[in-house]
Amino acid sequence: MIDVKRIEEVMRIAVEHSSADQLEVLASAKETALTRFSNNHIHQNVSETNMGLSIRAAVGQRLGYASTNRLDADSVKAMVDRATEMAAHRPPDDRFTSLPSPKATRKRDLVALSTVDCSPERRARQVEQLIRIAEAGELTAAGAFSTGYNIIGIANTLGVLATTVVSDASLKTVMMAETSSGYGSAIAVDVDDIDVEKIASEAAEKARISIDPIDIEPGPYTVILEPDAVADMVSFMAFAGFGALSLQEGRSFMKERLGQEIVSPLISIWDDAFDDHTIGLPFDFEGVPKQKVSFIENGVAKGVCYDTYTAAKEGVESTGHGLPAPNIHGPLPLNLIVGAGNSSLNDMVNGSERAILVTRFHYTNLEDPIKTTLTGMTRDGTFLIENGEIRSGIKNLRFTQSILEALSRVEQVSNERQMKDAFLGTIYVPALKIREFNFTGATQF
Amino acid sequence: MKELAFLALDVAKAYGATYADIRIIERQNEAIIIKNGRVEELGASTNYGFGIRVIADGAWGFAGSFLVERGEIERIARLAVETAKASALIKHKNVTLAPAPIITDSFTSPVQKDPFDVALQDKLAVLSRAEEVIRKTPGVSIASASMEMARHKKIFASLEGSYIEQEMTECGAGIHAIAISGNDIQERSYPNSHGGDSATAGYEFIESLMLGEHAAQIAEEAVQLLTAKECPSGEMTIILDGSQLALQVHESCGHPVELDRVLGMEASFAGTSFLTLDKLDKLRYGSPIVNINADATIPGALGTFAYDDEGIPAQRFDIVKDGMFKGYLTSRETAPILEQTSNGCMRADGWGRLPLIRMTNINLLPGNSSLAEMIDGVKDGVYLSTNRSWSIDDKRLNFQFATEIGWEIKNGKLGAVIKNPNYTGLTPEFWNSCDAIAGQDEWRVWGLANCGKGEPMQVAHVAHGAAPARFRNVKVGVGR
């Protein structure tokens, strides 16, 4: 295992070598492995050991960037010089004020040695357990089982110095029958917390009960979105509008609506890297301690998250949501949480006269970031509910739907939530029951 | 370096590998983004490392590291073999590879003007000039201009005896205008969206784009879109420009003909393919004028190379011929299923990733029409340009694309600008509705530098040749 001391040493060399007015060093190390399976056997099995160093140099108000994964002392110094040289060649940025000053950072490592030490054989044995469940149900399993750890270190010439270690293990599987499929997934800090049998059984059951799906006409339907589908939708929402840069540039749906009710009062969304149900770093990629930020509280737009640059523009403090520099997206939340309700998934199904139950979405994409128009497909378990029961699987549908409008029509929120691996970090979400969800097309399976 | 490569292969063999290859890759990169008058990004990066792929006990293992040193190469070679042996605990049969030629060669992609020799100030000036024109256009909210240049030096060596060195230089650039009014957000890009256009070429490619000369037009169009009428809804004739067709080919033809996807190897991520093995030579994929090929030899195209990451020479072959489905993209592992040898489509995203079947340059071949002639033949339809959003189901059948801009076509004439256009369909129905494709004069290759696939995720650089084409009875204005 690459240790924290190595990261600290690299950062020290960079900071001490700096001739810039200010210098920031982001150093990282990782060892990751992923066992991939399909057709009930392992077909890809990989691991990667890597380190990285990103330099942000400020010469007056001129900023330059350089990065490398060569971390011998000479290479580190050369990158510091390169970033400084890049800064000298560019025009000044009058909106840059300073790199962040040090603040008290809550020390937290989220690391499990069982994950760090997980061998290829252990991953293979757990995949084997999953495949046996698939075979028992005459199903074909595909999926990925990954384990690994990251060390992140931030330092700057103003005195910021922070390091953390985080491990994660993730298992996901699609199980397929002739005409159907089902999905199961889990992510955890400790590989021992991945319940292989539970995930495999959920996926197998979804595939079993959606065999021979029926056609259904697209149109507006009441939907029950399971946590994977909610995670996808809320992640796109966050990307489109929860960061300060999108608000400052006028492309966020939050603009001119802070303090107003923008979705159902049943919906609250916030970011909290220290919540036990997320895998979060204690500081952002500028070394600023992570703050809890409320975006939507009981349906009302409350605020956005900031990095140093966007905060300076408004004269406020960074909330600790800076991404690695250079970053064109601005600050973004990586540990989203959607508040729980008081229904169970069963309540939602039992109380539905006619509805569609969606396991997850596929290939979602924003067509309009302000109207939050999202399109995508359902996948791996889409069901017709009639008179409070699952009647049958249905062929997958395409939706074209404003996220804001969907969240304005939420009828029920589940009390149980799940942590999901989303494209913006991890997200902890409930299931949602939403009326008049707009399905605009269908496919052939 | 050769010695280190052979060391890896020897260690892997000693620990039980029956096949091994190593790739040692150094990547140099420079990126500049100017946005709203300030230099948003000005950075240089280098990345170096190696990856070792082995077969042991009849199964695959792969490991990579950033530390290109003797001790680490020995450790990683052993880890790759250990990983392969773990894979072998759950196998149905031994991996077998199609035969490959033993090659010793080196290749450097042609460069007229080395992008790393061009002064930074000159690059900034090119972008600043274009960005300023956009920013100063009344009504524009966000103006940006970007360029990126990269050089990969790659060594491939295999236990079978191949040793290949390749050096590839890539350049790309683009400009972008966003206009916002209330809740209406409109955008225009040149030469294409999602970062512009890229090629396996030197700085001369960026110069050829003439960004400054196109800035005013896209800025004015973005503003014009704010007051344009909405795209109509219903079934009608559409004409797609080459850049949008490039992405249509990518999603609805390029991905579904990847043989690993067809065989279920990508099932848990982006899915499988409707182009199952029984459809080869039997499915009418498109109308008889639809011809699509894969060609990794097009000079300067972003998906061009000399050898893939299994050491197989770049090739050109048919995918769709006269509308009939004719071929897959293959690898040494998958090709034997078709009783073929690999057609050279295995590429990895750097040293730390396993090679996967990736598109090369997948091209809709030119027809014998022209944009003007196609418009002339439309009574009621739309002409759509420049991708804004894309989505397709997990067998690559149901797709939906949005474009930045469209124009009405009424009685054979191009009419008013329309905003928020989108269209949807099912892949074979769509391609069978194609009744005209513009000719060679309007055909060009579009680089696409953001093709995602695999777990861990990999990004490939591919390209698509296309000219405008016409499709009948397509559903547009979805979700209005």
Side-chain angles (χ1 to χ4, degrees):
Chain A
M1 179 178 174
I2 302 163
D3 61 20
V4 174
K5 284 183 181 168
R6 178 84 198 277
I7 291 292
E8 289 174 340
E9 173 65 6
V10 165
M11 293 194 298
R12 186 191 61 76
I13 293 169
V15 167
E16 287 181 1
H17 183 69
S18 172
S19 61
D21 295 330
Q22 295 184 351
L23 189 95
E24 178 184 84
V25 191
L26 166 63
S28 63
K30 67 174 184 179
E31 287 190 90
T32 55
L34 186 143
T35 299
R36 207 169 183 213
F37 50 98
S38 65
N39 299 306
N40 291 349
H41 73 276
I42 293 172
H43 69 296
Q44 292 167 7
N45 209 346
V46 303
S47 71
E48 180 186 354
T49 305
N50 200 2
M51 292 183 76
L53 178 75
S54 296
I55 306 286
R56 175 161 57 156
V59 178
Q61 288 183 301
R62 303 165 192 265
L63 292 172
Y65 307 91
S67 65
T68 185
N69 70 341
R70 287 180 157 172
L71 298 186
D72 59 278
D74 288 345
S75 297
V76 171
K77 290 174 184 174
M79 272 305 119
V80 169
D81 294 341
R82 183 80 172 119
T84 308
E85 180 197 340
M86 295 297 263
H89 279 86
R90 64 168 278 181
D93 179 351
D94 57 12
R95 281 179 277 168
F96 172 75
T97 52
S98 172
L99 295 174
S101 298
K103 286 187 178 160
T105 303
R106 197 164 136 192
K107 180 67 182 169
R108 185 177 68 159
D109 291 332
L110 280 179
V111 62
L113 285 180
S114 50
T115 307
V116 172
D117 295 335
C118 189
S119 68
E121 183 175 348
R122 175 170 177 186
R123 284 193 304 279
R125 291 297 181 198
Q126 297 209 242
V127 167
E128 184 178 26
Q129 185 187 353
L130 182 147
I131 287 172
R132 296 294 168 248
I133 292 169
E135 288 174 340
E138 297 182 339
L139 300 168
T140 302
F145 187 17
S146 67
T147 54
Y149 72 89
N150 277 270
I151 305 172
I152 309 285
I154 308 278
N156 73 28
T157 49
L158 300 179
V160 166
L161 177 62
T163 58
T164 190
V165 187
V166 60
S167 66
D168 68 88
S170 166
L171 175 63
K172 62 178 184 175
T173 185
V174 172
M175 291 205 185
M176 293 163 285
E178 186 73 20
T179 59
S180 65
S181 60
Y183 180 72
S185 71
I187 181 166
V189 170
D190 191 334
V191 68
D192 292 341
D193 291 336
I194 299 286
D195 189 339
V196 176
E197 188 174 340
K198 180 171 178 281
I199 295 160
S201 300
E202 283 174 1
E205 178 65 3
K206 291 256 188 195
R208 188 187 67 77
I209 62 175
S210 58
I211 280 173
D212 296 332
I214 60 172
D215 288 298
I216 192 166
E217 279 297 310
Y221 285 86
T222 293
V223 289
I224 299 168
L225 303 181
E226 292 196 5
D228 278 295
V230 175
D232 208 14
M233 194 167 70
V234 174
S235 295
F236 273 98
M237 183 184 194
F239 182 74
F242 286 168
L245 186 64
S246 64
L247 189 64
Q248 291 170 357
E249 291 183 343
R251 54 183 172 83
S252 167
F253 56 85
M254 304 277 269
K255 69 174 179 174
E256 297 166 13
R257 299 186 75 182
L258 291 174
Q260 296 176 20
E261 186 174 295
I262 61 168
V263 295
S264 161
L266 296 174
I267 295 297
S268 293
I269 304 173
W270 64 93
D271 184 88
D272 184 1
F274 291 99
D275 190 286
D276 288 341
H277 299 95
T278 186
I279 301 177
L281 306 178
F283 50 83
D284 72 359
F285 293 95
E286 295 182 299
V288 176
K290 291 262 187 180
Q291 306 295 315
K292 182 176 176 179
V293 175
S294 176
F295 303 111
I296 296 175
E297 195 172 310
N298 300 324
V300 175
K302 298 298 284 186
V304 294
C305 58
Y306 293 87
D307 56 11
T308 304
Y309 190 87
T310 53
K313 188 172 182 187
E314 294 183 33
V316 298
E317 292 285 308
S318 168
T319 57
H321 289 85
L323 300 184
N327 156 38
I328 60 167
H329 299 297
L332 286 171
L334 303 179
N335 302 101
L336 284 165
I337 296 171
V338 179
N342 52 20
S343 305
S344 70
L345 188 59
N346 278 342
D347 291 341
M348 294 181 187
V349 172
N350 295 340
S352 299
E353 189 178 327
R354 184 175 164 84
I356 290 173
L357 174 65
V358 176
T359 298
R360 68 165 175 150
F361 291 143
H362 169 81
Y363 222 136
T364 41
N365 214 332
L366 277 170
E367 289 194 353
D368 188 316
I370 297 182
K371 298 185 186 77
T372 62
T373 309
L374 191 71
T375 188
M377 297 295 300
T378 66
R379 184 179 172 185
D380 299 327
T382 310
F383 302 92
L384 178 63
I385 297 166
E386 285 187 330
N387 302 319
E389 291 181 350
I390 291 176
R391 186 187 143 199
S392 71
I394 57 177
K395 289 180 183 172
N396 288 300
L397 297 169
R398 170 170 296 286
F399 66 93
T400 307
Q401 171 67 57
S402 155
I403 302 168
L404 284 177
E405 287 176 10
L407 293 182
S408 296
R409 296 196 287 260
V410 170
E411 293 185 338
Q412 287 176 288
V413 179
S414 73
N415 46 17
E416 278 189 31
R417 289 177 287 177
Q418 294 176 14
M419 179 167 62
K420 295 294 176 187
D421 189 7
F423 75 87
L424 288 180
T426 54
I427 180 168
Y428 186 52
V429 285
L432 299 177
K433 182 175 176 180
I434 300 170
R435 65 180 180 279
E436 295 174 45
F437 195 86
N438 197 20
F439 289 109
T440 53
T443 190
Q444 297 176 341
F445 59 93
Chain B
M1 203 53 65
K2 204 168 193 174
E3 184 195 345
L4 288 176
F6 290 152
L7 170 70
L9 303 176
D10 290 344
V11 172
K13 186 179 180 183
Y15 278 87
T18 53
Y19 171 85
D21 61 42
I22 180 170
R23 288 171 301 114
I24 305 172
I25 300 173
E26 181 174 17
R27 180 187 164 95
Q28 177 188 6
N29 180 278
E30 195 175 296
I32 308 172
I33 300 174
I34 297 180
K35 183 174 159 187
N36 287 350
R38 64 181 276 263
V39 180
E40 188 95 358
E41 177 175 348
L42 178 58
S45 68
T46 60
N47 192 285
Y48 188 42
F50 67 96
I52 299 172
R53 186 178 72 144
V54 306
I55 297 173
D57 291 353
W60 285 115
F62 173 87
S65 173
F66 73 110
L67 206 54
V68 188
E69 295 175 0
R70 193 176 181 88
E72 182 72 347
I73 282 177
E74 290 176 359
R75 182 182 81 84
I76 290 295
R78 287 197 303 273
L79 178 59
V81 175
E82 181 195 347
T83 303
K85 288 180 176 176
S87 304
L89 295 171
I90 313 164
K91 67 174 182 185
H92 291 165
K93 58 181 182 181
N94 288 343
V95 174
T96 53
L97 301 180
I102 308 302
I103 291 167
T104 302
D105 198 5
S106 64
F107 171 78
T108 301
S109 67
V111 170
Q112 292 172 29
K113 199 167 184 177
D114 190 330
F116 296 100
D117 287 346
V118 176
L120 206 48
Q121 298 302 355
D122 293 346
K123 296 171 186 169
L124 285 165
V126 166
L127 294 181
S128 294
R129 196 162 56 242
E131 188 271 343
E132 186 178 2
V133 170
I134 298 169
R135 178 164 35 91
K136 291 188 172 172
T137 301
V140 167
S141 306
I142 303 172
S144 63
S146 62
M147 68 170 67
E148 185 163 3
M149 40 233 101
R151 176 163 292 142
H152 316 251
K153 293 178 181 174
K154 181 158 57 177
I155 292 170
F156 171 87
S158 75
L159 203 51
E160 293 168 336
S162 285
Y163 186 87
I164 300 165
E165 294 182 353
Q166 293 186 86
E167 180 178 310
M168 314 287 286
T169 301
E170 297 174 354
C171 283
I175 52 177
H176 190 212
I178 296 179
I180 303 172
S181 175
N183 282 344
D184 197 0
I185 180 166
Q186 298 297 332
E187 56 190 313
R188 286 294 287 134
S189 309
Y190 171 84
N192 200 356
S193 48
H194 315 305
D197 195 8
S198 304
T200 302
Y203 194 73
E204 68 277 3
F205 177 75
I206 291 176
E207 290 177 329
S208 75
L209 295 175
M210 297 191 290
L211 298 178
E213 280 74 359
H214 294 84
Q217 184 184 345
I218 65 156
E220 286 159 11
E221 285 176 349
V223 176
Q224 186 186 2
L225 279 164
L226 291 174
T227 51
K229 56 181 171 180
E230 286 281 337
C231 175
S233 289
E235 274 194 15
M236 62 188 67
T237 297
I238 69 170
I239 297 172
L240 299 179
D241 81 328
S243 69
Q244 174 55 34
L245 256 177
L247 195 61
Q248 179 78 49
V249 168
H250 181 91
E251 300 290 359
S252 66
C253 183
H255 277 305
V257 300
E258 296 162 346
L259 190 51
D260 54 352
R261 184 182 306 281
V262 173
L263 298 174
M265 295 179 185
E266 294 291 324
S268 69
F269 188 54
T272 58
S273 171
F274 75 98
L275 287 172
T276 46
L277 296 177
D278 55 303
K279 304 229 175 31
L280 188 62
D281 295 322
K282 296 188 178 68
L283 177 77
R284 175 157 287 287
Y285 176 90
S287 64
I289 62 166
V290 173
N291 289 285
I292 298 173
N293 75 4
D295 186 354
T297 70
I298 299 174
L302 193 62
T304 293
F305 48 82
Y307 300 94
D308 78 354
D309 285 341
E310 293 191 310
I312 304 295
Q315 294 169 42
R316 179 175 61 211
F317 50 90
D318 289 330
I319 290 175
V320 174
K321 179 77 176 165
D322 301 329
M324 297 301 293
F325 172 46
K326 286 294 184 184
Y328 292 106
L329 311 177
T330 70
S331 62
R332 292 186 66 187
E333 180 183 10
T334 57
I337 290 159
L338 304 172
E339 298 181 344
Q340 296 174 1
T341 54
S342 171
N343 52 31
C345 295
M346 286 287 271
R347 286 189 295 156
D349 183 3
W351 55 264
R353 294 286 188 270
L354 185 72
L356 302 173
I357 294 178
R358 304 309 306 252
M359 290 174 233
T360 57
N361 306 302
I362 311 299
N363 314 294
L364 174 65
L365 299 182
N368 56 17
S369 187
S370 68
L371 180 58
E373 194 177 297
M374 287 189 285
I375 291 170
D376 192 49
V378 177
K379 188 177 176 191
D380 185 18
V382 291
Y383 172 51
L384 307 178
S385 172
T386 321
N387 182 263
R388 190 173 183 184
S389 166
W390 65 102
S391 173
I392 193 163
D393 74 34
D394 59 286
K395 289 188 192 292
R396 304 275 159 183
L397 278 166
N398 180 306
F399 61 80
Q400 183 162 313
F401 293 98
T403 63
E404 290 183 350
I405 193 168
W407 289 265
E408 282 182 334
I409 306 173
K410 297 286 185 192
N411 300 315
K413 304 287 182 205
L414 211 54
V417 169
I418 52 173
K419 67 179 170 187
N420 303 323
N422 67 4
Y423 67 97
T424 190
L426 293 171
T427 297
E429 284 179 13
F430 179 79
W431 284 105
N432 274 285
S433 77
C434 180
D435 75 343
I437 302 171
Q440 185 71 48
D441 291 350
E442 295 174 75
W443 191 90
R444 61 164 284 189
V445 179
W446 299 88
L448 199 155
N450 62 348
C451 174
K453 184 178 178 181
E455 296 168 293
M457 169 67 101
Q458 301 193 34
V459 176
H461 292 187
V462 305
H464 306 285
R470 187 173 65 194
F471 302 83
R472 301 290 188 180
N473 305 315
V474 179
K475 191 176 173 188
V476 304
V478 187
R480 305 288 186 257

